[in-house]
Amino acid sequence: MPDNKPNISTIVYYSIAGIVASIVFLIDLNLPLGVAHGGLYACLVLIGLLAVNRNIIISGAILGSILTVAGYFLSLPGGEVWKVLTNRMVSLLTIWLTAIICLKKQKSDEELQKLRHNLENRIVERTSSLNEINIDLKKKSLYLQLHKRIAEKVNEETKIEKIFQDCLKQICILANAQVGHLYLSEDRYSGHLLPQKIWHLENKLEFESFKELTEHQTFDSGIGLPGRVHEIRKPVWIESIEQDLNFPRASHKESLSIKSGFAFPIFIGEKIAGVMEFFFNKQQSSDSEMLDLMGQTGIQIGRALERRFSEEDRDKILLSLKERIKELTCMSEVAKLITVSKTMDDILCSLEKFIVSAWQFPELTQVRITFHKKVFGAKELPKTSWILSTNIIVNREVQGLLEVCYSDKPPNTGDLIFLDEEKNLLTWLGQVLSSSASRLENAEDLKNSNTELRGLYSKLEHVREEERTRIARELHDELGQALTICKLDLTWLKQKTQNNPGEVEAKLNSMMLHMDTTLQELNRIASELRPHVLNVMGLFEALKLETERFINLTGIKGEIFLSDQIPILHPDLSTLIFRVYQETLTNVARHADATKINAQFIKAEDFLELTVNDDGNGIEVGKAYNSNSFGLTGMRERVQEWGGEFSINGALGEGTQIFIRVPLLKALS
């Protein structure tokens, strides 16, 4: 409230009091006693009250009292004495009562003035405090709005550049800064900071030079404002850039437009991924609250950067997985190709499309394969420095070359043109092709060796059959004839010695019995070497007789079904079928412990099929062709040499089946 104290000086009030006192005294002198009295001198006290001056009030009261008494003696005579004295006494009382009241009033006014002054001071203090609180609340509100906007941007915006751009703008508005800029670590969390082309400039023309200077300035940890923030891991405020010894940009005239600045770190967990810096075109004092807020803001912005890194990692993983799928597909297709192909030409003719699709940029990829002076894929490769190659080595000798190149430089690859996985894939392809070529070459050699061995085995079997036939014929014709003659001679001799004693006759009977046994054994041996019935009566009778002989010798029940559709066969084919059947029955007798066999020999289209089943112990198919199964191995080789199929099916305790299937290509009409 304003102060009501008059601005008139004390001397003026004294002068006024003197003039008033003189006027009242003159009036008092000119009026007779009884008419005039001293009551008017109370106005002198009131003048002191107007002057708000204790001394003037007292002085006015004293002066009024003196003049009242003087008036009694100096005024014109008149009235009764006691009335005059009473009037004068009442006047004196009035003067001093007025003085006392005025003094009380003044004291009250002073106390009220003090109270009012104290109240005003308290109001001023409270207003100042409220203003400070309002400013603080406004600042905190701005801080909260900043955090809210940053949080919204972090959650809504997908492009990290826009998030940073908006954060720079909002912080510049809050801090009243004219420049905002971002530094990021070179390798996410390294101490080498690189400038980004993300800015907020209040006046682009004013700070254009500083912008160009900054975009070419990198900082290591501890160097410059960004480096210092990175080193101490806290926000930093520079009140005077010109006086700061650790601000390299201050030595350039481009920095003259900035006077003060601050910066804060961007945290991802416990690591610093970047630094945001802000500058003023006027010198600004350090603001601890602002620095505290920026420390929290750096953590919040770090979440956006962390999400960006996570997205980059996810994209890299997805891209890597995509590339790995392409490479695995290539490996799978190449493996299938190698499995089904019979020659290297078949493999190399189809290889190009699988390799091209496995590289990062199929539209730029060209493949050439040179093998044994043959070229597959692209006939000519463009002259380019973006090429990979690997040798195709067959039996330790370089026999070919696999080359993959890009016809033009791929986009967004930098110095790393080919991935390590692509190099590894090419190496794997070279090894697989080398292995396949070696295997096919060795397989061809093995096939030739097997063909030669089968021819030799067939020739050996043919020679053996001829030798068996010759021996059987010699035994039957020569030795049989000789034994028959011997038997006839013994018969003649017996007839001539009928009248001889019994001892000679008994000896002759014994010799004839021995001769019969020898002839029977001779016939058996000759039949086993080459059944006479096979040459004379054919395959059917030979199979029937062999079945009957097996039943008689082993006691195993058996039967054979012979189809009447089977034509006359080539002697070699007849021998093959008979020998397989003979060997099968021998194996049943030796190993099967069977009680019954069932065989059939039929014609199926242009093939002959022989099937023999028994109900014996059975056999594990995996052990059918072990090193000791010479009989089974021999049967299989003989059937395959004829171009047929040979198989054994069985299970332990469930019996065994022998099956052969041979073509009728060599049958006789």
Side-chain angles (χ1 to χ4, degrees):
M1 293 178 66
D3 192 353
N4 292 326
K5 181 178 179 180
N7 294 323
I8 302 173
S9 67
T10 304
I11 296 173
V12 172
Y13 280 106
Y14 275 116
S15 300
I16 293 173
I19 294 171
V20 171
S22 299
I23 293 172
V24 172
F25 185 69
L26 289 175
I27 293 172
D28 188 24
L29 290 178
N30 293 309
L31 291 176
L33 293 173
V35 177
H37 57 81
L40 291 176
Y41 292 111
C43 65
L44 298 178
V45 177
L46 296 176
I47 291 172
L49 180 63
L50 291 175
V52 193
N53 191 311
R54 180 184 180 84
N55 294 329
I56 294 177
I57 292 173
I58 295 173
S59 298
I62 294 172
L63 179 60
S65 299
I66 293 171
L67 291 178
T68 298
V69 174
Y72 174 78
F73 292 104
L74 299 177
S75 296
L76 294 176
E80 296 177 2
V81 175
W82 67 272
K83 290 182 179 179
V84 172
L85 288 174
T86 301
N87 287 336
R88 294 292 170 176
M89 292 298 295
V90 171
S91 296
L92 290 175
L93 181 61
T94 300
I95 291 171
W96 284 103
L97 285 175
T98 302
I100 292 171
I101 291 171
C102 288
L103 288 175
K104 291 286 185 180
K105 174 70 171 54
Q106 184 195 11
K107 186 176 181 181
S108 298
D109 289 342
E110 288 178 355
E111 290 177 353
L112 287 174
Q113 187 69 21
K114 287 181 180 179
L115 290 173
R116 186 180 67 179
H117 184 70
N118 290 337
L119 182 59
E120 289 177 350
N121 288 338
R122 290 179 64 184
I123 290 173
V124 170
E125 291 176 0
R126 183 65 59 85
T127 302
S128 176
S129 176
L130 288 174
N131 289 335
E132 291 177 359
I133 292 173
N134 286 333
I135 293 172
D136 187 57
L137 287 174
K138 186 176 180 180
K139 187 179 292 186
K140 288 182 179 179
S141 176
L142 292 174
Y143 292 169
L144 290 174
Q145 290 179 10
L146 174 64
H147 277 285
K148 181 181 177 182
R149 289 174 183 172
I150 292 175
E152 289 175 350
K153 280 293 179 181
V154 168
N155 293 324
E156 295 175 1
E157 186 60 60
T158 57
K159 293 185 178 180
I160 191 68
E161 291 80 6
K162 288 187 177 180
I163 294 176
F164 284 135
Q165 187 76 51
D166 191 72
C167 289
L168 290 172
K169 179 180 178 181
Q170 296 300 328
I171 295 173
C172 283
I173 293 173
L174 177 65
N176 197 25
Q178 287 73 48
V179 179
H181 180 239
L182 173 68
Y183 270 88
L184 291 179
S185 296
E186 182 177 23
D187 187 17
R188 289 198 179 180
Y189 308 114
S190 69
H192 189 60
L193 299 171
L194 302 180
Q196 307 299 305
K197 293 186 177 182
I198 302 176
W199 291 81
H200 176 74
L201 300 174
E202 187 177 90
N203 188 328
K204 292 185 178 180
L205 279 178
E206 181 181 0
F207 302 104
E208 185 64 31
S209 299
F210 178 71
K211 176 184 175 184
E212 292 180 3
L213 170 65
T214 301
E215 287 182 351
H216 292 85
Q217 185 80 54
T218 63
F219 291 103
D220 290 322
S221 183
I223 306 300
L225 178 58
R228 199 185 322 173
V229 170
H230 187 280
E231 182 180 43
I232 67 175
R233 302 171 62 84
K234 293 180 180 180
V236 173
W237 191 294
I238 300 177
E239 294 185 355
S240 177
I241 288 176
E242 294 179 358
Q243 297 178 5
D244 193 284
L245 300 178
N246 189 10
F247 195 88
R249 286 172 284 180
S251 59
H252 298 76
K253 64 179 181 179
E254 290 84 354
S255 298
L256 296 177
S257 55
I258 59 172
K259 303 301 180 181
S260 296
F262 68 92
F264 62 88
I266 299 174
F267 279 97
I268 297 181
E270 296 295 325
K271 297 180 179 179
I272 296 177
V275 174
M276 275 190 171
E277 58 179 5
F278 300 87
F279 299 99
F280 305 92
N281 58 4
K282 296 180 181 179
Q283 191 165 330
Q284 299 286 337
S285 300
S286 177
D287 188 339
S288 59
E289 291 184 2
M290 176 67 71
L291 292 181
D292 291 340
L293 171 68
M294 292 302 104
Q296 299 171 14
T297 304
I299 296 174
Q300 193 173 17
I301 296 175
R303 294 171 186 163
L305 194 58
E306 183 178 17
R307 188 179 68 182
R308 170 64 177 270
F309 288 163
S310 299
E311 291 174 354
E312 289 179 354
D313 292 341
R314 182 197 62 192
D315 293 341
K316 288 180 180 178
I317 291 172
L318 290 176
L319 179 61
S320 178
L321 287 175
K322 183 179 178 181
E323 295 299 323
R324 299 301 79 73
I325 289 172
K326 290 166 58 178
E327 292 157 10
L328 289 173
T329 302
C330 173
M331 296 172 73
S332 174
E333 294 297 332
V334 170
K336 291 179 183 177
L337 179 64
I338 290 173
T339 301
V340 301
S341 300
K342 296 182 178 180
T343 65
M344 279 300 292
D345 286 359
D346 294 339
I347 296 173
L348 299 179
C349 285
S350 305
L351 191 62
E352 179 186 12
K353 60 182 179 180
F354 300 132
I355 297 178
V356 169
S357 62
W359 252 247
Q360 290 184 85
F361 306 97
E363 66 280 0
L364 302 177
T365 305
Q366 295 191 25
V367 179
R368 182 174 67 177
I369 309 164
T370 307
F371 186 73
H372 285 170
K373 298 182 180 179
K374 294 182 181 179
V375 178
F376 302 88
K379 299 301 179 182
E380 293 291 337
L381 294 180
K383 293 182 179 180
T384 174
S385 57
W386 308 298
I387 186 168
L388 294 175
S389 63
T390 185
N391 291 325
I392 301 175
I393 302 173
V394 183
N395 295 327
R396 299 183 180 180
E397 293 185 2
V398 177
Q399 299 290 342
L401 182 66
L402 171 59
E403 300 171 283
V404 180
C405 76
Y406 286 137
S407 57
D408 197 1
K409 184 177 180 181
N412 303 322
T413 54
D415 296 331
L416 185 63
I417 303 299
F418 294 102
L419 299 175
D420 291 338
E421 289 78 7
E422 292 174 332
K423 297 177 183 177
N424 294 335
L425 176 61
L426 187 69
T427 302
W428 178 84
L429 288 170
Q431 293 173 350
V432 168
L433 292 176
S434 299
S435 175
S436 299
S438 300
R439 178 179 57 80
L440 290 173
E441 188 173 296
N442 294 336
E444 186 65 27
D445 293 341
L446 181 60
K447 182 180 179 181
N448 294 335
S449 299
N450 288 338
T451 302
E452 293 176 0
L453 287 174
R454 283 199 175 95
L456 182 60
Y457 179 80
S458 177
K459 186 175 182 181
L460 180 62
E461 282 295 316
H462 184 70
V463 170
R464 187 165 66 178
E465 286 296 331
E466 289 182 348
E467 187 64 17
R468 282 176 174 176
T469 303
R470 186 187 67 77
I471 293 173
R473 186 164 53 250
E474 291 291 334
L475 288 174
H476 184 271
D477 295 343
E478 300 297 332
L479 186 56
Q481 186 177 4
L483 288 174
T484 301
I485 293 172
C486 288
K487 184 177 180 181
L488 291 174
D489 289 343
L490 286 174
T491 303
W492 180 84
L493 184 60
K494 180 180 179 181
Q495 291 175 354
K496 295 295 182 181
T497 58
Q498 286 181 353
N499 299 324
N500 291 340
E503 184 178 350
V504 176
E505 184 178 3
K507 183 64 175 175
L508 288 173
N509 289 334
S510 175
M511 291 177 66
M512 290 184 70
L513 180 62
H514 181 68
M515 190 64 66
D516 289 338
T517 303
T518 303
L519 283 171
Q520 290 177 3
E521 189 66 21
L522 178 63
N523 288 332
R524 184 190 65 78
I525 294 172
S527 178
E528 288 182 356
L529 288 171
R530 178 71 178 181
H532 185 64
V533 69
L534 185 61
N535 295 328
V536 177
M537 301 182 69
L539 178 61
F540 276 23
E541 292 300 322
L543 293 176
K544 290 179 180 179
L545 289 175
E546 187 66 25
T547 304
E548 292 175 1
R549 188 182 70 84
F550 171 77
I551 294 171
N552 293 332
L553 288 176
T554 62
I556 299 173
K557 296 179 181 181
E559 59 181 355
I560 184 169
F561 171 76
L562 300 170
S563 173
D564 56 3
Q565 296 180 353
I566 297 175
I568 298 173
L569 304 180
H570 190 283
D572 291 343
L573 182 56
S574 297
T575 302
L576 167 66
I577 294 171
F578 177 78
R579 290 302 183 193
V580 170
Y581 185 65
Q582 188 180 48
E583 183 67 29
T584 300
L585 295 180
T586 301
N587 285 335
V588 172
R590 289 179 180 176
H591 309 295
D593 194 19
T595 61
K596 183 180 179 180
I597 67 163
N598 189 331
Q600 68 173 10
F601 183 45
I602 62 173
K603 178 178 179 292
E605 297 180 354
D606 294 331
F607 293 89
L608 295 175
E609 294 181 353
L610 174 64
T611 307
V612 182
N613 293 289
D614 68 66
D615 61 353
N617 298 327
I619 185 171
E620 293 185 30
V621 178
K623 298 181 179 179
Y625 303 113
N626 59 36
S627 59
N628 297 321
S629 300
F630 297 110
L632 295 175
T633 303
M635 286 191 286
R636 182 183 61 180
E637 290 295 328
R638 295 182 71 168
V639 172
Q640 289 180 350
E641 190 275 332
W642 192 266
E645 302 175 13
F646 177 86
S647 65
I648 301 175
N649 297 305
L652 293 178
E654 298 181 6
T656 304
Q657 181 189 76
I658 301 293
F659 174 79
I660 70 166
R661 191 169 187 258
V662 292
L664 274 168
L665 300 177
K666 299 182 181 180
L668 297 175
S669 58

